[in-house]
Amino acid sequence: MDKRKTAPVGVFDSGVGGLTVAREIMRQLPDENIVYFGDTARVPYGSKSKENIIRFSRQIIRFLETKNVKAIVIACNTASALALDVVKQEFNIPIIGVIVPGARAAVRETRNKKIGVVGTEGTIHSEMYTKVIQGMEPGASVIGKPCPLFVPLVEEGFAKHHITDEVIEIYLEEMKHSDVDTMILGCTHYPLLRSKIMAYFGEKVHIVNPAYETALDLKRVLEEQGTANDSGNLNKYEFYVSDAAEKFKQFANSILPYNVETITQINIEEY
């Protein structure tokens, strides 16, 4: 049996948000083993400098390499925007981010070439979605909107609360009255607010979830490399964090399709 086929896929994020990406990988690639790392000690990434995001990403990739992963998904939009191009040059392993798959889906879906992106300060100010979208569709116009309160609302369990409706309106009222016909949820936490955001915009705006698109990209990469797992063995999911393991576990069990028993806390600064 080719060891590379049964090797796990590494997935990392600044915290719990990337679990939405892990969840899609579990759904779309049910045979794959996953090692997930959430950088809960240093969350949020959205307000950190580019230098720090690159340093954090290098440390996490070095840690994931100790788990013999065959590919890495940067589930964090901020790290995908600020660190992906650098780490892809430095590490001899396929690394994919969430921005290109999300941008590609938005370009495919839009009819009027007007695309909205919501995300963290770091993601929106990097203008990475704009660059990628306009690289694929030069005529597209992109409106970005940072929505920093969405992350704590999700993490504190307010995704279904009416207070979230008010915050959505405050952030997105302007976009609702623009003529965007497609909007990218450019932060891994935001798919957990998808139904509320869709209800706010109504039928006229197509909402893109990059987590789903990224899982499909991963599938393609593994197939191209001949490393997709077809061993028929039961899959294994491992979870690591840099802090607050118990809180992470509660959140993971609220959104993942199975029960997470163990979360291991590590000192990521050692890598």
Side-chain angles (χ1 to χ4, degrees):
M1 185 66 213
D2 186 346
K3 270 212 168 70
R4 284 200 318 161
K5 290 192 169 189
T6 53
V9 171
V11 180
F12 78 86
D13 180 53
S14 57
V16 296
L19 290 169
T20 58
V21 178
R23 180 173 69 174
E24 288 297 338
I25 295 170
M26 291 170 184
R27 285 174 179 160
Q28 311 301 327
L29 293 82
D31 299 325
E32 297 299 338
N33 301 308
I34 298 173
V35 176
Y36 182 96
F37 176 79
D39 198 1
T40 42
R42 303 185 292 200
V43 68
Y45 279 14
S47 51
K48 304 275 194 300
S49 69
K50 180 172 182 169
E51 293 68 38
N52 269 328
I53 299 295
I54 291 170
R55 182 170 71 84
F56 295 169
S57 300
R58 283 179 180 137
Q59 288 174 329
I60 295 165
I61 292 167
R62 286 196 286 266
F63 163 69
L64 289 171
E65 284 188 322
T66 69
K67 301 293 170 191
N68 299 314
V69 296
K70 61 186 173 185
I72 290 175
V73 176
I74 302 182
C76 172
N77 282 266
T78 306
S80 294
L82 302 178
L84 177 64
D85 290 346
V86 175
V87 294
K88 273 176 86 161
Q89 303 297 315
E90 295 175 350
F91 292 91
N92 188 22
I93 184 170
I95 305 176
I96 64 174
V98 286
I99 289 180
V100 170
R104 193 189 301 119
V107 167
R108 191 176 65 231
E109 294 295 339
T110 183
R111 298 287 166 264
N112 66 5
K113 300 186 185 178
K114 292 185 168 55
I115 298 169
V117 183
V118 288
T120 64
E121 305 268 357
T123 300
I124 300 302
H125 294 321
S126 76
E127 297 195 336
M128 188 57 79
Y129 270 107
T130 306
K131 291 173 197 146
V132 172
I133 288 167
Q134 290 177 341
M136 296 173 181
E137 177 53 83
S141 67
V142 183
I143 300 173
K145 177 68 183 175
C147 304
L149 283 176
F150 283 179
V151 169
L153 283 169
V154 166
E155 294 204 354
E156 295 304 323
F158 288 113
K160 304 272 191 280
H161 198 280
H162 68 83
I163 193 171
T164 301
D165 295 313
E166 293 172 35
V167 176
I168 287 171
E169 181 158 19
I170 291 164
Y171 281 148
L172 300 182
E173 189 178 10
E174 213 174 303
M175 202 177 284
K176 186 178 185 176
H177 294 118
S178 73
D179 46 5
V180 304
D181 71 349
T182 304
M183 192 176 80
I184 300 172
L185 302 177
C187 170
T188 50
H189 285 72
Y190 297 5
L192 299 169
L193 302 176
R194 184 163 174 248
S195 55
K196 279 193 177 295
I197 292 171
M198 282 173 76
Y200 180 67
F201 279 100
E203 296 292 303
K204 70 183 180 82
V205 176
H206 179 88
I207 307 288
V208 171
N209 176 5
Y212 171 75
E213 306 295 337
T214 302
L216 298 184
D217 255 36
L218 173 64
K219 189 175 189 179
R220 190 162 60 243
V221 167
L222 297 180
E223 282 167 359
E224 282 168 4
Q225 287 202 311
T227 56
N229 188 14
D230 52 13
S231 68
N233 296 347
L234 278 175
N235 51 24
K236 288 207 310 289
Y237 301 141
E238 292 177 27
F239 297 89
Y240 296 86
V241 293
S242 48
D243 196 21
E246 199 46 48
K247 190 173 180 190
F248 181 94
K249 184 174 169 181
Q250 286 169 2
F251 191 88
N253 282 325
S254 73
I255 72 160
L256 292 178
Y258 84 111
N259 196 38
V260 180
E261 303 280 334
T262 331
I263 311 280
T264 308
Q265 190 168 316
I266 61 160
N267 179 5
I268 194 64
E269 294 286 359
E270 289 174 355
Y271 291 88

